[in-house]
Amino acid sequence: MHDAPTRNEALALVARGVSLNETARRTGVQRSTIRAWMSAPEPVPRECFRCLGLHPAAARAYTALLGFYLGDGCVSRFRRHTTLRISCDATLPGIIADVSSLVAAVRPSGGAFHVRAPGVIVVSANWKHWPCLFPQHGPGRKHERTIALETWQREVVEAHPADFLRGLFHSDGCRARNWATRVVAGERRRYDYPRWQFTNRSDDIRDLCCWALDLVDVPWRRSGRWVVSVSRREAVGRLDALIGPKT
Ligand SMILES: [Zn+2]
């Protein structure tokens, strides 16, 4: 087996008009191998499971990252590279670590880098395959365009709905503690009512959140123009267990 630099060197020599014999002599690679390289297509980067057409080995990590992407992420194409950026609250180191490890799991050739902005850490990674994995990318803001999952994306969410919900609620969700007092047996007592709320201006993304909650049998209701709430006590407990705290 020859490594990629050797292959590239040999192909570059041939492309410059150097003969096969001379290229073989200079690189130490057999002529038949060089000929095979010349007719073979560009090797596909092994890491992108969409381009390989395989079921994702990193399906759970991808599903969570999809939730974070829909919540607070974007994919931007530049002239020389394509960047995934997920904006994370700078006061939540657990979320920043989670998103960074998800990026590394989906793109094993390299981890994420962090860009600081006021109140925010933007977890970022350059990779030309982000558009394969997040075909929802496009110009404009997410709530101003249609966001629909492709069939393969729906399948990974159906297989790992809790991971998807973690991504959604840990980006655009919050766990609020409401309280009220009631008089019981002549005594005023305080009761806590924790609840999860998911707030997103995209109708499509809120619908995806509701769909995923249905997949795990967590009842929800719409409690505002852009808000989906999970507020029944058992439902909050179930969601807590599925997605963990936002820290
Ligand atoms: Zn790809």
Side-chain angles (χ1 to χ4, degrees), residues 44 48-52 127-130 132-133:
V44 175
C48 177
F49 53 77
R50 285 305 297 162
C51 287
L52 279 179
W127 197 28
K128 64 180 175 183
H129 291 276
W130 292 127
C132 316
L133 302 184

Side-chain angles (χ1 to χ4, degrees), residues 3 21 55 69 76 79 91 113 131 139 145 177 232:
D3 55 14
N21 279 336
H55 187 75
Y69 164 74
S76 308
R79 218 162 66 85
T91 64
F113 59 95
R145 53 193 162 91
R177 298 194 78 89
R232 283 192 215 160

